[in-house]
Amino acid sequence: SNPYRSEIMKQNVGSADRIFRMVLGLGIITWGFIDQNWLGAIGLVPLATAFMRWCPAYVPFGISTCKTP
């Protein structure tokens, strides 16, 4: 049994972090369209993590920007 199993998809992106990720993601995507560069697709990563409220890079380090109850 994996001790991290219940922690894997637990929300770890707080409100301010989420807003920052949305703005960053949309900015990168917009840059990609304006510059006609496919690298703008990288903006989907912060956008997806903002909508899921979960960042896989935070999991191994135990980081969470969510407010604790």
Side-chain angles (χ1 to χ4, degrees):
S1 173
N2 185 346
Y4 298 106
R5 187 124 178 108
S6 64
E7 298 294 317
I8 290 177
M9 289 296 287
K10 184 178 179 184
Q11 289 183 354
N12 60 10
V13 174
S15 297
D17 192 3
R18 188 173 183 221
I19 292 168
F20 175 76
R21 289 167 184 267
M22 285 182 188
V23 171
L24 180 67
L26 291 172
I28 294 170
I29 291 168
T30 301
W31 165 79
F33 276 115
I34 291 170
D35 200 42
Q36 296 181 354
N37 191 327
W38 66 271
L39 288 173
I42 292 170
L44 293 174
V45 174
L47 205 56
T49 58
F51 283 111
M52 292 187 302
R53 296 182 184 191
W54 177 73
C55 178
Y58 282 1
V59 175
F61 302 105
I63 298 170
S64 176
T65 57
C66 292
K67 290 182 182 174
T68 52

